[in-house]
Amino acid sequence: MKKILVTGGLGYIGSHTVVELQAEGYDVLVVDNLSNSKEEVKARIEDISGQSLELQIADINDTNALESLFSKHQFDGVIHFAAHKAVGESVEHPVMYYQNNVSGLISLLGTMEKYGVSNLIFSSSCTVYGAATDLPVTESTQIQKAESPYGTTKILGEEIINDFAKHKGFKSILLRYFNPVGAHPSAKIGELPLGVPNNLIPYITQTAAGIREKLTVFGDDYNTEDGTCVRDYIHVVDLAKAHVKALSYCDKMSQNVDVFNVGTGKGNTVLEVINTFEKVNGVKLNYTIGSRRGGDIEQIYADTTKVNNLLGWSAKYGIADMMKHAWAWQQGLSD
Ligand code: NAD
Ligand code: WQD
């Protein structure tokens, strides 16, 4: 049985990935510092998978804690989710973002090198493409200077891994996620946004639940079908499954690093998302059209040919499932 270390495995995407790894017969150990998750997620994962999960509560910047884990366990691969992810917060606290996202990665890579562990799956983001003009974006679309320190940490992370893998004969896959949304169909795990959400789907579900008074659509004067921005929303369970595929591909790939877009390949406008949410859940949303949000790009969606062909992965869930599962999860939270 292969043993995988999952950093940030109690978080939103990590918890769903742990469920899929356990379902595919991997032995999983999670390291998480609970900075954006709760310890009870471990029991929820175990409830879904019917298997016990090893958890070490520690910070990946703590190299002594990491070394203690690597000395006790022989890992066959690492999936690295642990990072801060709020774009606005990164503008206010850039050093905190470089410390956690970049230094944390360096601490992890140094420990992997010391213990001879290869095979790293890294959580990158479509944010590296910035406001790409040619759509859909492929993996060879030009990377652009990031709009925020958060985005820079993803570009730097990719660069550091490229250098490290090339010179150390180490294998890594960079997954560029588009917009992960939804929750596990069991409604036992999902996203736990702290405070007022910045992202569209938690804002929608909290508005529907009466936690927020109304949703503001950020601009309807873009050059798109209905004037609102277009994104490639990807169900978190589909995204989780892509990590399992990436792990087995890592073993057999000839080059040191490869990169994949992970999206559905289809763009949806903000109004399409709202209308779908209302329709599939039979809930009326209180929303108004407001002005544009600074830094938003007009539209982006993925070319998924590479991930479809090489990883043998494609998204199974559509936007209706994403909205249904996001609402079921929110309702569980409001109980
Ligand atoms: P999340 O905040 O839900 O999960 C991250 C987990 O890592 C949390 O459980 C947190 O407690 C933990 N963590 C953070 N810093 C840590 C540290 N120093 N040591 C140990 N644990 C630490 O975030 P998520 O949405 O699951 O995102 C996972 C990864 O995917 C992140 O790297 C994020 O940047 C990336 N990503 C997310 C999105 C998105 O929209 N959610 C999109 C693209 C990329
Ligand atoms: C989606 C659309 C908004 C809230 C961010 C990060 C990106 C990645 C994913 C990590 C946009 C509109 C939103 C609201 C709205 N994260 N919106 N009203 O901005 O595409 O991407 O999360 O890597 O790096 O930037 O996602 O969910 O914030 O917005 O109209 O209250 O919804 O304008 O068009 P975004 P989002």
Short mmCIF file of all heavy atoms in Angstrom, two decimals, residues 77-141:
data_model
loop_
_atom_site.label_atom_id
_atom_site.label_comp_id
_atom_site.label_asym_id
_atom_site.label_seq_id
_atom_site.Cartn_x
_atom_site.Cartn_y
_atom_site.Cartn_z
N GLY A 77 4.85 9.64 -1.91
CA GLY A 77 4.53 10.89 -2.60
C GLY A 77 3.94 11.88 -1.62
O GLY A 77 3.55 11.52 -0.50
N VAL A 78 3.89 13.13 -2.07
CA VAL A 78 3.35 14.21 -1.22
C VAL A 78 2.38 15.03 -2.06
O VAL A 78 2.68 15.38 -3.22
CB VAL A 78 4.49 15.13 -0.72
CG1 VAL A 78 3.93 16.29 0.11
CG2 VAL A 78 5.53 14.35 0.09
N ILE A 79 1.21 15.32 -1.49
CA ILE A 79 0.29 16.28 -2.13
C ILE A 79 0.27 17.51 -1.23
O ILE A 79 -0.05 17.42 -0.04
CB ILE A 79 -1.13 15.70 -2.32
CG1 ILE A 79 -1.06 14.35 -3.05
CG2 ILE A 79 -1.99 16.69 -3.10
CD1 ILE A 79 -2.42 13.76 -3.41
N HIS A 80 0.65 18.64 -1.83
CA HIS A 80 0.89 19.85 -1.02
C HIS A 80 -0.21 20.90 -1.21
O HIS A 80 -0.19 21.66 -2.17
CB HIS A 80 2.26 20.41 -1.41
CG HIS A 80 2.60 21.67 -0.70
ND1 HIS A 80 2.40 21.84 0.66
CD2 HIS A 80 3.14 22.85 -1.13
CE1 HIS A 80 2.78 23.06 1.01
NE2 HIS A 80 3.23 23.69 -0.06
N PHE A 81 -1.15 20.92 -0.27
CA PHE A 81 -2.22 21.92 -0.30
C PHE A 81 -1.96 23.09 0.65
O PHE A 81 -2.53 24.16 0.47
CB PHE A 81 -3.56 21.30 0.14
CG PHE A 81 -4.10 20.25 -0.78
CD1 PHE A 81 -4.06 18.91 -0.43
CD2 PHE A 81 -4.67 20.59 -2.00
CE1 PHE A 81 -4.57 17.92 -1.28
CE2 PHE A 81 -5.18 19.63 -2.85
CZ PHE A 81 -5.12 18.29 -2.49
N ALA A 82 -1.17 22.84 1.71
CA ALA A 82 -1.07 23.82 2.80
C ALA A 82 -0.58 25.18 2.31
O ALA A 82 0.56 25.31 1.84
CB ALA A 82 -0.13 23.29 3.88
N ALA A 83 -1.44 26.16 2.40
CA ALA A 83 -1.11 27.53 1.98
C ALA A 83 -2.25 28.44 2.41
O ALA A 83 -3.36 27.97 2.68
CB ALA A 83 -0.94 27.60 0.46
N HIS A 84 -1.96 29.74 2.46
CA HIS A 84 -3.05 30.71 2.61
C HIS A 84 -3.57 31.00 1.20
O HIS A 84 -2.81 30.98 0.23
CB HIS A 84 -2.53 32.00 3.23
CG HIS A 84 -2.10 31.87 4.66
ND1 HIS A 84 -2.73 31.05 5.57
CD2 HIS A 84 -1.09 32.49 5.35
CE1 HIS A 84 -2.13 31.16 6.75
NE2 HIS A 84 -1.13 32.02 6.64
N LYS A 85 -4.87 31.36 1.09
CA LYS A 85 -5.44 31.47 -0.26
C LYS A 85 -6.32 32.70 -0.53
O LYS A 85 -6.99 32.75 -1.56
CB LYS A 85 -6.25 30.20 -0.55
CG LYS A 85 -7.43 30.04 0.40
CD LYS A 85 -8.43 29.03 -0.12
CE LYS A 85 -9.56 28.81 0.86
NZ LYS A 85 -10.56 27.87 0.42
N ALA A 86 -6.34 33.64 0.39
CA ALA A 86 -7.24 34.78 0.17
C ALA A 86 -6.50 35.93 -0.52
O ALA A 86 -5.56 36.51 0.03
CB ALA A 86 -7.84 35.25 1.49
N VAL A 87 -6.95 36.23 -1.74
CA VAL A 87 -6.27 37.22 -2.57
C VAL A 87 -6.19 38.59 -1.86
O VAL A 87 -5.11 39.18 -1.77
CB VAL A 87 -7.01 37.35 -3.92
CG1 VAL A 87 -6.42 38.47 -4.76
CG2 VAL A 87 -6.97 36.02 -4.68
N GLY A 88 -7.31 39.06 -1.32
CA GLY A 88 -7.36 40.38 -0.68
C GLY A 88 -6.45 40.44 0.54
O GLY A 88 -5.71 41.40 0.75
N GLU A 89 -6.50 39.37 1.34
CA GLU A 89 -5.66 39.31 2.55
C GLU A 89 -4.17 39.35 2.17
O GLU A 89 -3.35 39.93 2.87
CB GLU A 89 -5.97 38.00 3.29
CG GLU A 89 -5.26 37.84 4.60
CD GLU A 89 -5.53 36.47 5.24
OE1 GLU A 89 -5.24 35.43 4.60
OE2 GLU A 89 -6.01 36.44 6.38
N SER A 90 -3.85 38.75 1.02
CA SER A 90 -2.43 38.71 0.61
C SER A 90 -1.93 40.10 0.25
O SER A 90 -0.75 40.39 0.38
CB SER A 90 -2.23 37.74 -0.56
OG SER A 90 -2.61 38.31 -1.80
N VAL A 91 -2.85 40.98 -0.20
CA VAL A 91 -2.46 42.36 -0.53
C VAL A 91 -2.15 43.10 0.78
O VAL A 91 -1.21 43.88 0.87
CB VAL A 91 -3.58 43.05 -1.34
CG1 VAL A 91 -3.25 44.51 -1.59
CG2 VAL A 91 -3.83 42.31 -2.65
N GLU A 92 -2.95 42.81 1.82
CA GLU A 92 -2.74 43.46 3.13
C GLU A 92 -1.54 42.89 3.87
O GLU A 92 -0.88 43.60 4.61
CB GLU A 92 -3.97 43.23 4.00
CG GLU A 92 -5.24 43.67 3.35
CD GLU A 92 -6.05 44.56 4.25
OE1 GLU A 92 -6.05 44.31 5.47
OE2 GLU A 92 -6.64 45.50 3.72
N HIS A 93 -1.29 41.59 3.71
CA HIS A 93 -0.22 40.92 4.48
C HIS A 93 0.68 40.11 3.57
O HIS A 93 0.74 38.88 3.67
CB HIS A 93 -0.84 39.98 5.53
CG HIS A 93 -1.77 40.66 6.47
ND1 HIS A 93 -1.34 41.52 7.45
CD2 HIS A 93 -3.12 40.64 6.56
CE1 HIS A 93 -2.39 41.98 8.12
NE2 HIS A 93 -3.48 41.47 7.59
N PRO A 94 1.42 40.80 2.67
CA PRO A 94 2.24 40.04 1.72
C PRO A 94 3.30 39.16 2.38
O PRO A 94 3.50 38.03 1.96
CB PRO A 94 2.88 41.12 0.85
CG PRO A 94 2.60 42.42 1.50
CD PRO A 94 1.47 42.25 2.45
N VAL A 95 3.91 39.67 3.44
CA VAL A 95 5.00 38.88 4.07
C VAL A 95 4.44 37.57 4.63
O VAL A 95 5.05 36.50 4.48
CB VAL A 95 5.70 39.71 5.16
CG1 VAL A 95 6.71 38.86 5.92
CG2 VAL A 95 6.37 40.91 4.53
N MET A 96 3.26 37.67 5.23
CA MET A 96 2.62 36.47 5.78
C MET A 96 2.38 35.44 4.67
O MET A 96 2.56 34.24 4.85
CB MET A 96 1.30 36.88 6.41
CG MET A 96 0.51 35.79 7.05
SD MET A 96 -0.91 36.53 7.88
CE MET A 96 -2.25 35.91 6.89
N TYR A 97 2.02 35.93 3.49
CA TYR A 97 1.77 35.01 2.37
C TYR A 97 3.06 34.39 1.85
O TYR A 97 3.12 33.20 1.57
CB TYR A 97 0.96 35.71 1.25
CG TYR A 97 -0.52 35.51 1.52
CD1 TYR A 97 -1.12 36.10 2.64
CD2 TYR A 97 -1.28 34.65 0.75
CE1 TYR A 97 -2.44 35.85 2.94
CE2 TYR A 97 -2.62 34.39 1.05
CZ TYR A 97 -3.19 35.00 2.14
OH TYR A 97 -4.50 34.73 2.46
N TYR A 98 4.12 35.21 1.71
CA TYR A 98 5.40 34.64 1.25
C TYR A 98 5.93 33.66 2.29
O TYR A 98 6.46 32.60 1.94
CB TYR A 98 6.42 35.75 0.95
CG TYR A 98 6.02 36.54 -0.29
CD1 TYR A 98 5.76 37.90 -0.23
CD2 TYR A 98 5.88 35.89 -1.52
CE1 TYR A 98 5.37 38.61 -1.36
CE2 TYR A 98 5.49 36.60 -2.65
CZ TYR A 98 5.24 37.96 -2.56
OH TYR A 98 4.85 38.64 -3.68
N GLN A 99 5.76 34.01 3.57
CA GLN A 99 6.24 33.14 4.65
C GLN A 99 5.53 31.78 4.58
O GLN A 99 6.16 30.73 4.58
CB GLN A 99 5.97 33.83 6.00
CG GLN A 99 6.34 33.00 7.22
CD GLN A 99 7.85 32.81 7.33
OE1 GLN A 99 8.58 33.78 7.18
NE2 GLN A 99 8.30 31.61 7.56
N ASN A 100 4.22 31.82 4.53
CA ASN A 100 3.49 30.54 4.60
C ASN A 100 3.57 29.76 3.29
O ASN A 100 3.82 28.56 3.29
CB ASN A 100 2.03 30.81 4.97
CG ASN A 100 1.38 29.59 5.60
OD1 ASN A 100 1.98 28.93 6.45
ND2 ASN A 100 0.19 29.26 5.14
N ASN A 101 3.35 30.45 2.18
CA ASN A 101 3.23 29.73 0.91
C ASN A 101 4.58 29.41 0.27
O ASN A 101 4.74 28.34 -0.33
CB ASN A 101 2.37 30.53 -0.08
CG ASN A 101 0.95 30.72 0.41
OD1 ASN A 101 0.62 30.40 1.56
ND2 ASN A 101 0.08 31.25 -0.44
N VAL A 102 5.53 30.34 0.38
CA VAL A 102 6.83 30.10 -0.27
C VAL A 102 7.79 29.42 0.71
O VAL A 102 8.34 28.36 0.41
CB VAL A 102 7.43 31.41 -0.84
CG1 VAL A 102 8.76 31.12 -1.52
CG2 VAL A 102 6.46 32.05 -1.84
N SER A 103 7.96 29.99 1.91
CA SER A 103 8.86 29.35 2.88
C SER A 103 8.34 27.96 3.25
O SER A 103 9.13 27.04 3.43
CB SER A 103 9.01 30.19 4.15
OG SER A 103 9.54 31.44 3.81
N GLY A 104 7.03 27.83 3.37
CA GLY A 104 6.45 26.52 3.70
C GLY A 104 6.81 25.48 2.64
O GLY A 104 7.18 24.35 2.95
N LEU A 105 6.73 25.88 1.38
CA LEU A 105 7.09 24.96 0.28
C LEU A 105 8.58 24.60 0.36
O LEU A 105 8.96 23.43 0.20
CB LEU A 105 6.77 25.63 -1.08
CG LEU A 105 7.30 24.89 -2.31
CD1 LEU A 105 6.59 23.55 -2.49
CD2 LEU A 105 7.12 25.76 -3.57
N ILE A 106 9.42 25.60 0.63
CA ILE A 106 10.87 25.36 0.70
C ILE A 106 11.19 24.39 1.85
O ILE A 106 11.99 23.47 1.71
CB ILE A 106 11.63 26.70 0.84
CG1 ILE A 106 11.50 27.49 -0.47
CG2 ILE A 106 13.09 26.49 1.20
CD1 ILE A 106 11.98 28.92 -0.41
N SER A 107 10.52 24.60 2.96
CA SER A 107 10.72 23.71 4.11
C SER A 107 10.34 22.27 3.73
O SER A 107 11.05 21.31 4.03
CB SER A 107 9.87 24.24 5.27
OG SER A 107 9.54 23.26 6.18
N LEU A 108 9.24 22.14 3.01
CA LEU A 108 8.78 20.81 2.59
C LEU A 108 9.77 20.17 1.60
O LEU A 108 10.15 19.01 1.75
CB LEU A 108 7.38 20.93 1.95
CG LEU A 108 6.78 19.65 1.40
CD1 LEU A 108 6.48 18.65 2.52
CD2 LEU A 108 5.48 19.95 0.63
N LEU A 109 10.20 20.95 0.61
CA LEU A 109 11.13 20.42 -0.41
C LEU A 109 12.46 20.00 0.24
O LEU A 109 13.01 18.95 -0.10
CB LEU A 109 11.39 21.46 -1.51
CG LEU A 109 10.21 21.77 -2.42
CD1 LEU A 109 10.56 22.89 -3.39
CD2 LEU A 109 9.77 20.52 -3.21
N GLY A 110 12.94 20.82 1.17
CA GLY A 110 14.21 20.50 1.85
C GLY A 110 14.09 19.18 2.58
O GLY A 110 15.01 18.34 2.54
N THR A 111 12.96 18.96 3.22
CA THR A 111 12.77 17.71 3.97
C THR A 111 12.62 16.54 3.01
O THR A 111 13.16 15.45 3.24
CB THR A 111 11.54 17.83 4.89
OG1 THR A 111 11.59 19.09 5.55
CG2 THR A 111 11.50 16.71 5.90
N MET A 112 11.90 16.74 1.90
CA MET A 112 11.76 15.66 0.91
C MET A 112 13.14 15.27 0.37
O MET A 112 13.45 14.10 0.22
CB MET A 112 10.83 16.11 -0.24
CG MET A 112 9.37 16.23 0.20
SD MET A 112 8.28 16.83 -1.11
CE MET A 112 8.18 15.40 -2.18
N GLU A 113 13.97 16.29 0.12
CA GLU A 113 15.31 16.01 -0.41
C GLU A 113 16.12 15.20 0.62
O GLU A 113 16.73 14.19 0.28
CB GLU A 113 16.03 17.33 -0.72
CG GLU A 113 17.42 17.11 -1.27
CD GLU A 113 18.18 18.42 -1.53
OE1 GLU A 113 17.69 19.50 -1.14
OE2 GLU A 113 19.27 18.34 -2.11
N LYS A 114 16.08 15.66 1.86
CA LYS A 114 16.87 15.01 2.91
C LYS A 114 16.48 13.54 3.09
O LYS A 114 17.34 12.69 3.34
CB LYS A 114 16.66 15.78 4.22
CG LYS A 114 17.55 15.33 5.34
CD LYS A 114 17.61 16.38 6.44
CE LYS A 114 18.38 15.82 7.64
NZ LYS A 114 18.35 16.72 8.77
N TYR A 115 15.19 13.25 2.91
CA TYR A 115 14.72 11.87 3.14
C TYR A 115 14.52 11.10 1.82
O TYR A 115 13.94 10.02 1.81
CB TYR A 115 13.45 11.87 4.00
CG TYR A 115 13.79 12.23 5.43
CD1 TYR A 115 13.88 13.56 5.83
CD2 TYR A 115 14.10 11.24 6.36
CE1 TYR A 115 14.26 13.90 7.12
CE2 TYR A 115 14.48 11.57 7.65
CZ TYR A 115 14.55 12.90 8.03
OH TYR A 115 14.93 13.23 9.31
N GLY A 116 14.95 11.69 0.71
CA GLY A 116 14.91 10.99 -0.57
C GLY A 116 13.50 10.69 -1.05
O GLY A 116 13.25 9.64 -1.66
N VAL A 117 12.55 11.60 -0.77
CA VAL A 117 11.16 11.38 -1.21
C VAL A 117 10.91 12.22 -2.46
O VAL A 117 11.17 13.42 -2.49
CB VAL A 117 10.16 11.77 -0.10
CG1 VAL A 117 8.72 11.67 -0.59
CG2 VAL A 117 10.36 10.88 1.13
N SER A 118 10.41 11.57 -3.53
CA SER A 118 10.09 12.28 -4.78
C SER A 118 8.56 12.34 -4.92
O SER A 118 7.85 12.03 -3.97
CB SER A 118 10.73 11.52 -5.95
OG SER A 118 10.46 12.19 -7.16
N ASN A 119 8.07 12.74 -6.05
CA ASN A 119 6.65 12.75 -6.39
C ASN A 119 5.81 13.76 -5.58
O ASN A 119 5.19 13.41 -4.58
CB ASN A 119 6.03 11.35 -6.24
CG ASN A 119 6.61 10.37 -7.24
OD1 ASN A 119 7.55 10.69 -7.96
ND2 ASN A 119 6.05 9.18 -7.29
N LEU A 120 5.82 14.98 -6.04
CA LEU A 120 5.08 16.05 -5.37
C LEU A 120 3.98 16.57 -6.29
O LEU A 120 4.23 16.90 -7.45
CB LEU A 120 6.03 17.21 -5.05
CG LEU A 120 5.36 18.47 -4.47
CD1 LEU A 120 4.97 18.25 -3.00
CD2 LEU A 120 6.30 19.67 -4.56
N ILE A 121 2.77 16.64 -5.76
CA ILE A 121 1.67 17.27 -6.51
C ILE A 121 1.45 18.64 -5.85
O ILE A 121 1.23 18.72 -4.64
CB ILE A 121 0.36 16.45 -6.43
CG1 ILE A 121 0.60 14.95 -6.70
CG2 ILE A 121 -0.69 17.02 -7.38
CD1 ILE A 121 1.13 14.59 -8.04
N PHE A 122 1.52 19.69 -6.67
CA PHE A 122 1.45 21.06 -6.14
C PHE A 122 0.16 21.75 -6.59
O PHE A 122 -0.20 21.71 -7.77
CB PHE A 122 2.67 21.85 -6.63
CG PHE A 122 2.67 23.30 -6.23
CD1 PHE A 122 2.83 23.67 -4.89
CD2 PHE A 122 2.54 24.31 -7.17
CE1 PHE A 122 2.84 25.01 -4.51
CE2 PHE A 122 2.55 25.66 -6.81
CZ PHE A 122 2.70 26.01 -5.46
N SER A 123 -0.50 22.43 -5.64
CA SER A 123 -1.73 23.18 -5.92
C SER A 123 -1.38 24.52 -6.52
O SER A 123 -1.07 25.47 -5.80
CB SER A 123 -2.48 23.48 -4.63
OG SER A 123 -2.79 22.33 -3.92
N SER A 124 -1.43 24.62 -7.85
CA SER A 124 -1.26 25.93 -8.46
C SER A 124 -2.65 26.45 -8.87
O SER A 124 -3.67 25.88 -8.44
CB SER A 124 -0.31 25.84 -9.65
OG SER A 124 0.00 27.15 -10.09
N SER A 125 -2.68 27.49 -9.63
CA SER A 125 -3.96 28.17 -9.86
C SER A 125 -3.98 28.80 -11.25
O SER A 125 -2.94 29.22 -11.77
CB SER A 125 -4.10 29.26 -8.80
OG SER A 125 -5.15 30.13 -9.11
N CYS A 126 -5.18 28.93 -11.80
CA CYS A 126 -5.32 29.61 -13.09
C CYS A 126 -4.97 31.08 -12.96
O CYS A 126 -4.84 31.79 -13.96
CB CYS A 126 -6.74 29.44 -13.63
SG CYS A 126 -7.97 30.33 -12.68
N THR A 127 -4.81 31.54 -11.74
CA THR A 127 -4.43 32.94 -11.52
C THR A 127 -3.08 33.24 -12.18
O THR A 127 -2.80 34.39 -12.52
CB THR A 127 -4.41 33.24 -9.99
OG1 THR A 127 -4.41 34.62 -9.79
CG2 THR A 127 -3.23 32.64 -9.27
N VAL A 128 -2.25 32.19 -12.43
CA VAL A 128 -0.93 32.43 -13.06
C VAL A 128 -1.09 32.95 -14.50
O VAL A 128 -0.17 33.55 -15.04
CB VAL A 128 -0.01 31.17 -13.05
CG1 VAL A 128 0.23 30.67 -11.64
CG2 VAL A 128 -0.55 30.06 -13.94
N TYR A 129 -2.25 32.73 -15.11
CA TYR A 129 -2.46 33.19 -16.50
C TYR A 129 -2.89 34.65 -16.57
O TYR A 129 -2.93 35.23 -17.67
CB TYR A 129 -3.51 32.33 -17.20
CG TYR A 129 -3.16 30.87 -17.34
CD1 TYR A 129 -3.95 29.88 -16.76
CD2 TYR A 129 -2.04 30.47 -18.06
CE1 TYR A 129 -3.64 28.54 -16.90
CE2 TYR A 129 -1.72 29.12 -18.20
CZ TYR A 129 -2.52 28.16 -17.61
OH TYR A 129 -2.21 26.84 -17.75
N GLY A 130 -3.26 35.23 -15.41
CA GLY A 130 -3.72 36.62 -15.41
C GLY A 130 -4.90 36.79 -16.36
O GLY A 130 -5.75 35.90 -16.48
N ALA A 131 -4.92 37.95 -17.04
CA ALA A 131 -6.02 38.23 -17.98
C ALA A 131 -5.60 37.76 -19.37
O ALA A 131 -5.28 38.57 -20.24
CB ALA A 131 -6.35 39.70 -17.97
N ALA A 132 -5.61 36.46 -19.57
CA ALA A 132 -5.19 35.91 -20.86
C ALA A 132 -6.14 36.38 -21.95
O ALA A 132 -7.35 36.49 -21.71
CB ALA A 132 -5.18 34.39 -20.78
N THR A 133 -5.60 36.65 -23.13
CA THR A 133 -6.47 37.14 -24.20
C THR A 133 -6.98 36.01 -25.10
O THR A 133 -8.09 36.09 -25.61
CB THR A 133 -5.75 38.20 -25.06
OG1 THR A 133 -4.42 37.76 -25.28
CG2 THR A 133 -5.74 39.55 -24.38
N ASP A 134 -6.16 34.96 -25.26
CA ASP A 134 -6.60 33.84 -26.11
C ASP A 134 -7.26 32.78 -25.25
O ASP A 134 -6.62 32.20 -24.37
CB ASP A 134 -5.39 33.22 -26.83
CG ASP A 134 -4.94 34.11 -27.98
OD1 ASP A 134 -5.75 34.95 -28.42
OD2 ASP A 134 -3.78 33.96 -28.39
N LEU A 135 -8.53 32.53 -25.49
CA LEU A 135 -9.28 31.56 -24.70
C LEU A 135 -9.72 30.39 -25.58
O LEU A 135 -9.99 30.59 -26.75
CB LEU A 135 -10.50 32.23 -24.07
CG LEU A 135 -10.17 33.31 -23.03
CD1 LEU A 135 -11.42 34.04 -22.61
CD2 LEU A 135 -9.49 32.69 -21.82
N PRO A 136 -9.82 29.17 -25.03
CA PRO A 136 -9.46 28.80 -23.67
C PRO A 136 -7.96 28.79 -23.47
O PRO A 136 -7.20 28.70 -24.44
CB PRO A 136 -10.02 27.37 -23.56
CG PRO A 136 -10.02 26.84 -24.95
CD PRO A 136 -10.29 28.01 -25.84
N VAL A 137 -7.51 28.85 -22.19
CA VAL A 137 -6.08 28.86 -21.93
C VAL A 137 -5.53 27.44 -21.91
O VAL A 137 -6.14 26.54 -21.34
CB VAL A 137 -5.71 29.59 -20.61
CG1 VAL A 137 -5.93 31.07 -20.72
CG2 VAL A 137 -6.46 29.03 -19.42
N THR A 138 -4.40 27.26 -22.57
CA THR A 138 -3.71 25.96 -22.52
C THR A 138 -2.54 26.11 -21.54
O THR A 138 -2.22 27.22 -21.11
CB THR A 138 -3.14 25.57 -23.90
OG1 THR A 138 -2.01 26.40 -24.16
CG2 THR A 138 -4.17 25.71 -25.01
N GLU A 139 -1.88 24.99 -21.27
CA GLU A 139 -0.76 25.01 -20.33
C GLU A 139 0.40 25.83 -20.89
O GLU A 139 1.29 26.23 -20.14
CB GLU A 139 -0.29 23.58 -20.01
CG GLU A 139 -1.27 22.78 -19.15
CD GLU A 139 -2.46 22.21 -19.90
OE1 GLU A 139 -2.59 22.44 -21.13
OE2 GLU A 139 -3.28 21.52 -19.25
N SER A 140 0.41 26.07 -22.21
CA SER A 140 1.51 26.90 -22.72
C SER A 140 1.13 28.37 -22.88
O SER A 140 1.94 29.17 -23.34
CB SER A 140 2.08 26.33 -24.03
OG SER A 140 1.11 25.62 -24.72
N THR A 141 -0.07 28.73 -22.48
CA THR A 141 -0.43 30.16 -22.44
C THR A 141 0.57 30.88 -21.54
O THR A 141 0.94 30.36 -20.48
CB THR A 141 -1.88 30.33 -21.90
OG1 THR A 141 -2.78 29.70 -22.81
CG2 THR A 141 -2.25 31.78 -21.72
#
